[in-house]
Structures are given as C-alpha cells and as structure tokens.
Amino acid sequence: MTEDRIASAAVQDASSDLNYAFYDHPRYEPPEAYADARDTFLDRIASVSGVVSVYESGTGEVSRPGISDVDLIVVVEDEIDDPTAVREGISAAKTDEYYFFHGPEVITRSAFPEYYNVLPMPKDLVLHYGESLEYEKNRDRFNYLAYLVDSVTTTYPMEFLELLFFPGPSIDHHRLDIVFGDAFDLAVPGVVAERFPVDLDTRFAVHRLNSLRNDMMLFADSTGRDTPVMDAFDASITDLRERWFDLDRAERETLLIERLQDAITACFAFVDHLDAYLDEIGVEVPETELTVHSHETTHNEFRPDWSVETAERDTCEYYRDGRVRTAVLPQSVTVNERLRDGDTVSAPEAYRRALQNRDRSKRQRDASMAAYKYHPMRARYMRVMGALFGLKTRLVR
C-alpha cells in the first residue's frame, strides 16, 4: 500500500489508465427538503389501497444531507387484488427519486416481523404512517454471519470491481440504459470497450461505499476481531462523506476513484477475516477442485488454495483483461449454498438454524419485492443475461 492508501498496487495498476465519465454527482439538499419529500410521500401513500404501514430505517433524520436518502419500508396486505396498482401507486408517491435513492422497500404484513432476518442492520424502525406492527430485531451473531456470507458471494467485492472497471459505456457523456449497457459488456471486445470512458454513477458509488463500510463494521462488532484494514476503510468513508461538499468537482472525482480502489482491497481483507472466522467457529467445507458458481451476471471462482494476494490480483485480471465478472473467493464462503443443497458441511447447529430462518424470511421478502417493486420482467431478464454472461465467462476463462 502507498502512504494513506488502502488499495494494493495490483488494484491501482489495473485501473490507473482507465477514463471515467462521472454523472449524478450528489447535490446538497437541506434537511427540510427531505422532510417535505417524506411528508408528500406519506400524504400520497394514504390513497393507495392495500398499504398497511410505512416505516423508516434509522432515526428518521438524514445523516448526510445531499448524500443520504430516505430509507422507507412500505408494508402491504398479504392478499391484494391488483398488485400492479399497488406497485405503481407506491412508485408514484415519490416526489423526486433523489430523496428515495433505492427505495422504498415493500414487504407484506406477514413477512414484516422478520425483516431483520434479511437485512440485519443495527438500526431501529420509525413508524410514519398506519398500524404499529410488531417486529423482531434479530441480533443473533449467526444471523449476522449468514447475511455477511451471502453478501460476499453476491455483492462484495464484485459491485466495486464493476463500478471501477466497467459499469457501462457512455457515448458523448450520455449513459446507456441497463439493457444496452449489458449488451455492450457482452459483445464488445476489451480493446474496443476501453476506448469509451467508464460510466460511473457518482452518487450510487458513494452510497454503496457506505453500505460496504456498514457491513464491515457489523462484522467487526459482532465478532470482536481486530480488523485494521477495515477500520481504516471505515475512517476513509467517514472522511469522504464529511468532506464531499467542501471539495471541487475534480477533487471529488479523484477521491472517489481512490476510495473505490481502496474498497476492493478492503473487501479482500474482509473475505480473509470471514474465511478465518468461519474456521474459528467450526465451519468446515470439504475442499473440491476449483469450482465456478453463478449469481445473476457474476460468476465467482472458488479455490481451495485461496490467498488474499493471488485472489485480488487474479480477480483484477479477470475484470480488466478478460472483461468478465469473475471474483476469486475461498471455498469456505460456499457454506450457505452447500447447506441449502444438503451437502456434507460441518457447521454449528445455531448457524444452520440462523440460515434456515434467514432463507425463510428472504423468500417472503423477495416475493414481496417482485410483486410490488421490481419490474415484472426483471427475473426473466436476469436469467437470460446470467446465462449469456456465464457463456462468456467460460469462453474467456
């Protein structure tokens, strides 16, 4: 690492000559604007039939005006005659997407009590509208662990590799939509693709860096492990968010690229800690030959002889040279999938129960989101694109 930097030389070298087209820079919005947007949403949601309650994750206050968003959870009845009308009504209640960056979450009444089994963040829920409902704030360390294992096999470090290397092209600084962007990544050779700037969603990147930081601190707090690289990353993201509006545009963009590079190295340190902790609590996954598992458009490579340095280097080569979304991870983090498949795996009984509870709750949550938030064609599209990216991965590897 260079002074004051977390990112390894491998990560910095692999991304140092890429060009970026930054868009959607966070804009400062006063707390009153967030309150007005929330109040308007609540007024509008009252006319949507089937809505039971609206909660907000956290204190109901915005921690970083202009960067943060309003994290709402809309609870709906289990039986609704017209799900499309509910989905459209919830979407239309938002005054400006800026204030509701990735939400709201939508979940059914019966699934809501176990919401924290799926997203076990250490935050309270504030009731803004409707019925006051009972819910369990699951603080079980194995529930946290099962969640984090799922996160490193579906999200980290892949999300930051994609942000840094090829989230999608921009032509004349006009970004392509997700369908054309995926088609570009599938079909255009790397020597051609790199003539285009990497299309970087600035606010999304800042938001996801904060989410990664939160998950790392959840791991550190729940396990009591000493995590110096992750602690340094925590401090760096706090600094990024606090200083963002004090910097000019060029300084922000330079700092953001550095933090995305740092995130990749921090993610591999995170995976290393997770691998060690799984061994510490008695999780033993039988070693097999190198295997590749798919998750939507990402295809992870799980190695029995895994190490941080080679995994990070080889992953960067896959993303940069092969232009495939393949992260190299240890086989220990396949524990959740192997338990789900009924494979022979040694794991504490409490961990098995936590995973079963999480999976039950996640199925309910996923069904709610599919019915009341996501586009009806999303699941089919992701299956098709996953298969196509899987074919590209096999050809490149």
Side-chain angles (χ1 to χ4, degrees), residues 21 23-24 168-178 180-181 199-201:
Y23 69 93
D24 195 18
S170 64
I171 299 176
D172 294 331
H173 300 285
H174 295 286
R175 62 191 177 97
L176 303 181
D177 67 26
I178 188 171
F180 287 109
D199 186 30
L200 184 54
D201 186 334

PDB file of all heavy atoms in Angstrom, residues 21 23-24 168-178 180-181 199-201:
ATOM      1  N   ALA A  21     -16.362   8.739 -17.023  1.00  0.00           N
ATOM      2  CA  ALA A  21     -17.361   9.784 -17.261  1.00  0.00           C
ATOM      3  C   ALA A  21     -18.280   9.800 -16.042  1.00  0.00           C
ATOM      4  O   ALA A  21     -19.090   8.896 -15.854  1.00  0.00           O
ATOM      5  CB  ALA A  21     -18.161   9.490 -18.524  1.00  0.00           C
ATOM      6  N   TYR A  23     -21.264  10.946 -13.598  1.00  0.00           N
ATOM      7  CA  TYR A  23     -22.578  11.573 -13.675  1.00  0.00           C
ATOM      8  C   TYR A  23     -23.296  11.401 -12.341  1.00  0.00           C
ATOM      9  O   TYR A  23     -22.896  10.602 -11.491  1.00  0.00           O
ATOM     10  CB  TYR A  23     -23.411  10.996 -14.828  1.00  0.00           C
ATOM     11  CG  TYR A  23     -23.867   9.567 -14.638  1.00  0.00           C
ATOM     12  CD1 TYR A  23     -25.109   9.281 -14.083  1.00  0.00           C
ATOM     13  CD2 TYR A  23     -23.054   8.497 -15.008  1.00  0.00           C
ATOM     14  CE1 TYR A  23     -25.535   7.982 -13.902  1.00  0.00           C
ATOM     15  CE2 TYR A  23     -23.474   7.189 -14.835  1.00  0.00           C
ATOM     16  CZ  TYR A  23     -24.710   6.936 -14.284  1.00  0.00           C
ATOM     17  OH  TYR A  23     -25.113   5.634 -14.101  1.00  0.00           O
ATOM     18  N   ASP A  24     -24.364  12.164 -12.167  1.00  0.00           N
ATOM     19  CA  ASP A  24     -25.173  12.142 -10.955  1.00  0.00           C
ATOM     20  C   ASP A  24     -24.336  12.415  -9.710  1.00  0.00           C
ATOM     21  O   ASP A  24     -24.368  11.666  -8.737  1.00  0.00           O
ATOM     22  CB  ASP A  24     -25.922  10.804 -10.814  1.00  0.00           C
ATOM     23  CG  ASP A  24     -27.044  10.896  -9.779  1.00  0.00           C
ATOM     24  OD1 ASP A  24     -27.458  12.024  -9.449  1.00  0.00           O
ATOM     25  OD2 ASP A  24     -27.491   9.838  -9.286  1.00  0.00           O
ATOM     26  N   GLY A 168     -20.535   0.285 -17.458  1.00  0.00           N
ATOM     27  CA  GLY A 168     -21.250   0.532 -18.708  1.00  0.00           C
ATOM     28  C   GLY A 168     -20.624   1.701 -19.435  1.00  0.00           C
ATOM     29  O   GLY A 168     -19.973   2.542 -18.825  1.00  0.00           O
ATOM     30  N   PRO A 169     -20.778   1.762 -20.744  1.00  0.00           N
ATOM     31  CA  PRO A 169     -20.155   2.830 -21.517  1.00  0.00           C
ATOM     32  C   PRO A 169     -21.011   4.088 -21.543  1.00  0.00           C
ATOM     33  O   PRO A 169     -22.203   4.050 -21.287  1.00  0.00           O
ATOM     34  CB  PRO A 169     -20.080   2.225 -22.916  1.00  0.00           C
ATOM     35  CG  PRO A 169     -21.314   1.373 -22.972  1.00  0.00           C
ATOM     36  CD  PRO A 169     -21.516   0.826 -21.582  1.00  0.00           C
ATOM     37  N   SER A 170     -20.383   5.187 -21.853  1.00  0.00           N
ATOM     38  CA  SER A 170     -21.126   6.410 -22.145  1.00  0.00           C
ATOM     39  C   SER A 170     -20.648   6.919 -23.496  1.00  0.00           C
ATOM     40  O   SER A 170     -19.466   6.814 -23.822  1.00  0.00           O
ATOM     41  CB  SER A 170     -20.907   7.479 -21.068  1.00  0.00           C
ATOM     42  OG  SER A 170     -19.560   7.896 -21.034  1.00  0.00           O
ATOM     43  N   ILE A 171     -21.547   7.412 -24.273  1.00  0.00           N
ATOM     44  CA  ILE A 171     -21.228   7.947 -25.588  1.00  0.00           C
ATOM     45  C   ILE A 171     -21.576   9.426 -25.568  1.00  0.00           C
ATOM     46  O   ILE A 171     -22.734   9.796 -25.325  1.00  0.00           O
ATOM     47  CB  ILE A 171     -21.999   7.214 -26.696  1.00  0.00           C
ATOM     48  CG1 ILE A 171     -21.606   5.720 -26.684  1.00  0.00           C
ATOM     49  CG2 ILE A 171     -21.727   7.834 -28.052  1.00  0.00           C
ATOM     50  CD1 ILE A 171     -22.372   4.880 -27.669  1.00  0.00           C
ATOM     51  N   ASP A 172     -20.559  10.263 -25.809  1.00  0.00           N
ATOM     52  CA  ASP A 172     -20.742  11.707 -25.721  1.00  0.00           C
ATOM     53  C   ASP A 172     -21.340  12.096 -24.374  1.00  0.00           C
ATOM     54  O   ASP A 172     -22.187  12.984 -24.274  1.00  0.00           O
ATOM     55  CB  ASP A 172     -21.631  12.223 -26.866  1.00  0.00           C
ATOM     56  CG  ASP A 172     -20.960  12.064 -28.223  1.00  0.00           C
ATOM     57  OD1 ASP A 172     -19.711  12.097 -28.262  1.00  0.00           O
ATOM     58  OD2 ASP A 172     -21.676  11.899 -29.214  1.00  0.00           O
ATOM     59  N   HIS A 173     -20.907  11.364 -23.325  1.00  0.00           N
ATOM     60  CA  HIS A 173     -21.331  11.627 -21.943  1.00  0.00           C
ATOM     61  C   HIS A 173     -22.832  11.419 -21.723  1.00  0.00           C
ATOM     62  O   HIS A 173     -23.415  11.962 -20.799  1.00  0.00           O
ATOM     63  CB  HIS A 173     -20.916  13.038 -21.506  1.00  0.00           C
ATOM     64  CG  HIS A 173     -19.437  13.233 -21.570  1.00  0.00           C
ATOM     65  ND1 HIS A 173     -18.586  12.690 -20.641  1.00  0.00           N
ATOM     66  CD2 HIS A 173     -18.651  13.890 -22.467  1.00  0.00           C
ATOM     67  CE1 HIS A 173     -17.342  13.006 -20.948  1.00  0.00           C
ATOM     68  NE2 HIS A 173     -17.348  13.733 -22.051  1.00  0.00           N
ATOM     69  N   HIS A 174     -23.438  10.616 -22.579  1.00  0.00           N
ATOM     70  CA  HIS A 174     -24.820  10.199 -22.360  1.00  0.00           C
ATOM     71  C   HIS A 174     -24.793   8.703 -22.062  1.00  0.00           C
ATOM     72  O   HIS A 174     -24.445   7.897 -22.935  1.00  0.00           O
ATOM     73  CB  HIS A 174     -25.688  10.491 -23.591  1.00  0.00           C
ATOM     74  CG  HIS A 174     -25.842  11.949 -23.882  1.00  0.00           C
ATOM     75  ND1 HIS A 174     -26.633  12.780 -23.127  1.00  0.00           N
ATOM     76  CD2 HIS A 174     -25.285  12.732 -24.830  1.00  0.00           C
ATOM     77  CE1 HIS A 174     -26.569  14.010 -23.592  1.00  0.00           C
ATOM     78  NE2 HIS A 174     -25.754  14.011 -24.632  1.00  0.00           N
ATOM     79  N   ARG A 175     -25.134   8.339 -20.848  1.00  0.00           N
ATOM     80  CA  ARG A 175     -25.018   6.941 -20.470  1.00  0.00           C
ATOM     81  C   ARG A 175     -26.097   6.101 -21.149  1.00  0.00           C
ATOM     82  O   ARG A 175     -27.209   6.559 -21.399  1.00  0.00           O
ATOM     83  CB  ARG A 175     -25.116   6.773 -18.955  1.00  0.00           C
ATOM     84  CG  ARG A 175     -26.429   7.202 -18.318  1.00  0.00           C
ATOM     85  CD  ARG A 175     -26.287   7.225 -16.808  1.00  0.00           C
ATOM     86  NE  ARG A 175     -27.495   7.700 -16.152  1.00  0.00           N
ATOM     87  CZ  ARG A 175     -28.430   6.901 -15.645  1.00  0.00           C
ATOM     88  NH1 ARG A 175     -28.299   5.601 -15.735  1.00  0.00           N
ATOM     89  NH2 ARG A 175     -29.489   7.414 -15.054  1.00  0.00           N
ATOM     90  N   LEU A 176     -25.743   4.839 -21.417  1.00  0.00           N
ATOM     91  CA  LEU A 176     -26.699   3.908 -21.996  1.00  0.00           C
ATOM     92  C   LEU A 176     -27.529   3.287 -20.886  1.00  0.00           C
ATOM     93  O   LEU A 176     -27.095   3.173 -19.746  1.00  0.00           O
ATOM     94  CB  LEU A 176     -25.952   2.806 -22.762  1.00  0.00           C
ATOM     95  CG  LEU A 176     -25.000   3.276 -23.872  1.00  0.00           C
ATOM     96  CD1 LEU A 176     -24.373   2.063 -24.548  1.00  0.00           C
ATOM     97  CD2 LEU A 176     -25.707   4.154 -24.883  1.00  0.00           C
ATOM     98  N   ASP A 177     -28.757   2.853 -21.221  1.00  0.00           N
ATOM     99  CA  ASP A 177     -29.566   2.218 -20.191  1.00  0.00           C
ATOM    100  C   ASP A 177     -29.032   0.814 -19.916  1.00  0.00           C
ATOM    101  O   ASP A 177     -28.114   0.320 -20.572  1.00  0.00           O
ATOM    102  CB  ASP A 177     -31.052   2.208 -20.572  1.00  0.00           C
ATOM    103  CG  ASP A 177     -31.354   1.320 -21.778  1.00  0.00           C
ATOM    104  OD1 ASP A 177     -30.613   0.359 -22.037  1.00  0.00           O
ATOM    105  OD2 ASP A 177     -32.354   1.597 -22.468  1.00  0.00           O
ATOM    106  N   ILE A 178     -29.601   0.143 -18.923  1.00  0.00           N
ATOM    107  CA  ILE A 178     -29.037  -1.110 -18.444  1.00  0.00           C
ATOM    108  C   ILE A 178     -29.019  -2.195 -19.514  1.00  0.00           C
ATOM    109  O   ILE A 178     -28.073  -2.980 -19.608  1.00  0.00           O
ATOM    110  CB  ILE A 178     -29.793  -1.598 -17.179  1.00  0.00           C
ATOM    111  CG1 ILE A 178     -29.069  -2.804 -16.573  1.00  0.00           C
ATOM    112  CG2 ILE A 178     -31.241  -1.921 -17.486  1.00  0.00           C
ATOM    113  CD1 ILE A 178     -29.618  -3.195 -15.217  1.00  0.00           C
ATOM    114  N   PHE A 180     -28.805  -1.874 -22.917  1.00  0.00           N
ATOM    115  CA  PHE A 180     -27.734  -1.625 -23.873  1.00  0.00           C
ATOM    116  C   PHE A 180     -26.365  -1.744 -23.214  1.00  0.00           C
ATOM    117  O   PHE A 180     -25.404  -2.183 -23.835  1.00  0.00           O
ATOM    118  CB  PHE A 180     -27.918  -0.256 -24.520  1.00  0.00           C
ATOM    119  CG  PHE A 180     -29.038  -0.203 -25.509  1.00  0.00           C
ATOM    120  CD1 PHE A 180     -30.198   0.501 -25.217  1.00  0.00           C
ATOM    121  CD2 PHE A 180     -28.958  -0.879 -26.717  1.00  0.00           C
ATOM    122  CE1 PHE A 180     -31.240   0.546 -26.124  1.00  0.00           C
ATOM    123  CE2 PHE A 180     -29.997  -0.841 -27.623  1.00  0.00           C
ATOM    124  CZ  PHE A 180     -31.149  -0.122 -27.332  1.00  0.00           C
ATOM    125  N   GLY A 181     -26.296  -1.344 -21.941  1.00  0.00           N
ATOM    126  CA  GLY A 181     -25.032  -1.483 -21.232  1.00  0.00           C
ATOM    127  C   GLY A 181     -24.620  -2.932 -21.098  1.00  0.00           C
ATOM    128  O   GLY A 181     -23.456  -3.294 -21.313  1.00  0.00           O
ATOM    129  N   ASP A 199     -18.511   4.614 -17.364  1.00  0.00           N
ATOM    130  CA  ASP A 199     -19.657   5.431 -16.993  1.00  0.00           C
ATOM    131  C   ASP A 199     -19.941   5.234 -15.505  1.00  0.00           C
ATOM    132  O   ASP A 199     -20.456   4.192 -15.102  1.00  0.00           O
ATOM    133  CB  ASP A 199     -20.846   5.002 -17.852  1.00  0.00           C
ATOM    134  CG  ASP A 199     -22.055   5.884 -17.657  1.00  0.00           C
ATOM    135  OD1 ASP A 199     -21.888   7.062 -17.355  1.00  0.00           O
ATOM    136  OD2 ASP A 199     -23.171   5.368 -17.834  1.00  0.00           O
ATOM    137  N   LEU A 200     -19.551   6.180 -14.668  1.00  0.00           N
ATOM    138  CA  LEU A 200     -19.570   5.989 -13.222  1.00  0.00           C
ATOM    139  C   LEU A 200     -20.668   6.817 -12.569  1.00  0.00           C
ATOM    140  O   LEU A 200     -20.633   8.056 -12.588  1.00  0.00           O
ATOM    141  CB  LEU A 200     -18.209   6.363 -12.633  1.00  0.00           C
ATOM    142  CG  LEU A 200     -18.023   6.139 -11.130  1.00  0.00           C
ATOM    143  CD1 LEU A 200     -18.348   4.707 -10.743  1.00  0.00           C
ATOM    144  CD2 LEU A 200     -16.604   6.486 -10.731  1.00  0.00           C
ATOM    145  N   ASP A 201     -21.631   6.132 -11.976  1.00  0.00           N
ATOM    146  CA  ASP A 201     -22.719   6.767 -11.242  1.00  0.00           C
ATOM    147  C   ASP A 201     -22.167   7.216  -9.891  1.00  0.00           C
ATOM    148  O   ASP A 201     -21.997   6.419  -8.969  1.00  0.00           O
ATOM    149  CB  ASP A 201     -23.865   5.770 -11.067  1.00  0.00           C
ATOM    150  CG  ASP A 201     -25.097   6.395 -10.440  1.00  0.00           C
ATOM    151  OD1 ASP A 201     -24.958   7.395  -9.711  1.00  0.00           O
ATOM    152  OD2 ASP A 201     -26.201   5.875 -10.679  1.00  0.00           O
TER     153      ASP A 201
END
